[in-house]
Amino acid sequence: MADNFDLVILGSGPGGYVAAIRASQLGLKVAIVERERLGGICLNWGCIPTKALLRTSEIYHYMQNAESYGLKADNVGFDLAKIVDRSRKVAGQLNAGVKGLMKKNKVTVVEGVGTVTAKGKLSVKQGDKTVDLEAKNIIVATGARARDLPFAKADGERIWTYRHAMVPTEMPTKLLVIGSGAIGVEFASFYNDMGADVTIVEMLPRILPVEDEEVSAFMDKALTKQGIKLLTQTGLEGLVPSANGVTAKIKAKDGKVSEETFSHAIIAIGIVPNTENIGLEALGVETDRGHIKTDGYGRTNVDGIWAIGDVTGAPWLAHKASHEGIIAVEKIAGGSPHQMDKANIPGCTYSRPQVASVGMTEAKAKEAGYELKVGKFPFIGNGKAIALGEAEGFVKTVFDAKTGELLGAHMVGAEVTELIQGYVVARQLETTEAELMETVFAHPTLSEMMHESVLAAYGRAIHY
């Protein structure tokens, strides 16, 4: 006889486990099905362990440049195995934390491979055993996986996905990073700071192509200055691994094809949604290029089947998945949540320097027909940035000239992934330039640049 629940969630990533907790808070009897580890890709193989690695490379960079702070750090080196071990322990600690949260919130955890067999029914394969579950509602939160190159699948030895790149057994000497989105740039930044000779190949005209053009241009110069070789409008026509390295056929923007050998390559060209073999096709759940189609509440076209997170499409971000989960659960529980507004989801890249943004780029705002007021303020004009020794970067704000609406904010520099939330809150509250100008920002802080950028949009910047 099947175990019966109000809600069963397939997948325990940041979308699934957050949805489970909120469902329990709302009085629903909830189960969560997970085939690997609680916390999903983000916690175990993505967001969190990569930040642990990047923190290591950041500290290593500071140690190598200790003299600029009046300090001495001689014979600086690193132990790769310990770096990887620290990152895995961070992930393990948080995995244990999610287990504790499931127990605290009385969420039934069912380990195994789940399949939706009919509306309101799932089967979970646990080795030779199968567990049947029934629920009034099912949320699909199965996430996504790294996309392979059609002509060169990752082997974990010389050709890596993000998973392999997080647990290297040897440090690359000469690294090729294929793709310049957030994942590609973060790994390029980490390995470059740790001493590898890094090249990034990008098919599009600029790196970090979803970001504002000025941010991309700044990052191009910053990464080039750090020694990273950037090849934009460049394709990859072959990637052949050997015992000692990997040979790449690189097609430049002028059409010429050259061969170059690297010690390792990282494929960072996007993701593939995990929608196969979980029963969706038989139910007639609509998809678009593999991603499940949903409305603003996470509902699919099939009654009682919901979907959240990476499996539903861009932006592929943990915080988007978590928020979608809460919206879906509150709707299931009979509430009246707001619909998902993807325009208010911040994006962050944790490279050196960091990048963060929310809302429209200047180009997109112009394309949408807005008359604009644009403000920009450099890190060099901020006392805290200079004191930190982090005087490179800028904050840019884009306003509707007619209404004062904050259409977008774009930042590059130290700690901007923390600062961006101020603009996210401002957009959520539908704040105009007037309220932002009248807000008092603490001194000395990096956040003062946020104020100055708003002032600059209206010709009122004080310190630059």
Side-chain angles (χ1 to χ4, degrees):
M1 186 174 178
D3 291 333
N4 202 287
F5 296 88
D6 296 314
L7 172 65
V8 172
I9 300 166
L10 190 58
S12 73
Y17 87 75
V18 168
I21 292 170
R22 184 64 185 132
S24 177
Q25 290 174 346
L26 291 169
L28 301 182
K29 183 182 179 185
V30 57
I32 195 163
V33 178
E34 176 53 54
R35 68 181 181 180
E36 292 185 25
R37 291 169 61 84
L38 287 172
I41 293 297
C42 175
L43 189 152
N44 293 289
W45 292 103
C47 322
I48 302 301
T50 55
K51 303 312 162 282
L53 293 177
L54 285 160
R55 178 62 169 164
T56 292
S57 64
E58 179 184 38
I59 292 173
Y60 187 57
H61 167 73
Y62 286 137
M63 290 174 70
Q64 290 178 309
N65 292 275
E67 283 191 11
S68 63
Y69 295 88
L71 303 173
K72 288 184 178 180
D74 298 326
N75 301 316
V76 175
F78 62 86
D79 184 324
L80 182 60
K82 288 184 178 179
I83 291 171
V84 172
D85 182 59
R86 175 180 180 271
S87 173
R88 301 317 306 155
K89 283 179 178 176
V90 168
Q93 181 179 342
L94 291 172
N95 169 261
V98 173
K99 287 181 182 178
L101 287 170
M102 295 298 96
K103 184 177 180 181
K104 175 185 175 183
N105 288 279
K106 298 180 174 59
V107 174
T108 300
V109 177
V110 183
E111 295 181 351
V113 180
T115 305
V116 183
T117 55
K119 286 173 65 175
K121 295 184 178 182
L122 293 94
S123 68
V124 183
K125 191 172 182 181
Q126 301 174 322
D128 297 330
K129 176 184 171 186
T130 298
V131 175
D132 293 318
L133 307 175
E134 292 185 0
K136 296 173 186 175
N137 291 281
I138 296 169
I139 293 178
V140 178
T142 47
R145 61 189 183 276
R147 184 181 297 278
D148 264 320
L149 287 168
F151 51 82
K153 292 190 179 296
D155 59 14
E157 296 292 329
R158 296 295 168 182
I159 303 175
W160 294 347
T161 65
Y162 61 85
R163 282 205 185 203
H164 307 123
M166 273 186 277
V167 288
T169 55
E170 61 179 348
M171 181 59 65
T173 53
K174 188 177 181 183
L175 175 67
L176 176 65
V177 178
I178 306 156
S180 74
I183 292 173
V185 168
E186 286 182 2
F187 276 120
S189 187
F190 168 75
Y191 280 107
N192 182 68
D193 275 347
M194 298 307 295
D197 178 1
V198 178
T199 297
I200 298 178
V201 169
E202 171 58 58
M203 290 185 66
L204 295 174
R206 57 191 179 92
I207 64 168
L208 293 171
V210 302
E211 299 294 345
D212 187 86
E213 288 184 20
E214 285 192 272
V215 170
S216 289
F218 183 93
M219 284 296 290
D220 190 301
K221 290 179 181 178
L223 296 180
T224 299
K225 184 178 178 181
Q226 292 174 25
I228 297 175
K229 186 178 180 181
L230 303 175
L231 302 176
T232 55
Q233 290 181 283
T234 300
L236 196 69
E237 299 205 332
L239 197 64
V240 180
S242 67
N244 300 316
V246 57
T247 300
K249 282 188 177 180
I250 300 171
K251 185 177 182 179
K253 50 187 165 186
D254 62 5
K256 291 181 180 178
V257 178
S258 61
E259 283 194 2
E260 191 169 350
T261 301
F262 299 85
S263 67
H264 300 79
I266 298 175
I267 302 171
I269 57 172
I271 58 94
V272 178
N274 294 323
T275 49
E276 314 96 332
N277 305 317
I278 56 174
L280 301 182
E281 299 90 347
L283 286 176
V285 174
E286 289 184 6
T287 60
D288 178 11
R289 289 169 290 181
H291 290 96
I292 300 172
K293 294 173 70 173
T294 61
D295 66 5
Y297 299 106
R299 289 182 294 208
T300 71
N301 63 305
V302 177
D303 186 48
I305 305 293
W306 307 66
I308 62 172
D310 287 359
V311 79
T312 68
W316 298 290
L317 300 168
H319 43 283
K320 175 251 194 185
S322 297
H323 200 59
E324 281 182 323
I326 289 171
I327 291 170
V329 164
E330 290 184 351
K331 194 69 175 176
I332 288 168
S336 300
H338 64 275
Q339 292 193 47
M340 188 69 181
D341 183 359
K342 293 181 181 179
N344 284 345
I345 300 171
C348 297
T349 302
Y350 298 82
S351 50
R352 185 177 64 82
Q354 295 180 5
V355 175
S357 60
V358 66
M360 291 182 177
T361 64
E362 182 178 357
K364 289 290 184 184
K366 285 178 179 176
E367 285 175 22
Y370 287 99
E371 182 184 338
L372 304 179
K373 282 190 176 292
V374 178
K376 190 175 168 185
F377 191 83
F379 269 54
I380 194 66
N382 178 265
K384 179 69 177 292
I386 294 170
L388 289 175
E390 300 284 1
E392 294 188 356
F394 65 84
V395 178
K396 179 178 179 179
T397 43
V398 182
F399 291 91
D400 180 348
K402 294 180 180 178
T403 66
E405 177 188 357
L406 176 62
L407 299 174
H410 310 277
M411 316 166 84
V412 57
E415 301 304 326
V416 296
T417 56
E418 298 291 339
L419 297 177
I420 192 63
Q421 197 59 34
Y423 287 134
V424 178
V425 172
R427 279 182 54 82
Q428 187 66 31
L429 296 177
E430 300 182 353
T431 302
T432 69
E433 95 289 353
E435 289 83 14
L436 288 168
M437 285 183 180
E438 291 169 8
T439 300
V440 177
F441 286 73
H443 175 77
T445 62
L446 296 176
S447 66
E448 290 175 275
M449 290 182 287
M450 299 168 66
H451 191 215
E452 291 272 16
S453 180
V454 175
L455 294 171
Y458 291 84
R460 292 177 49 183
I462 301 297
H463 292 99
Y464 194 77

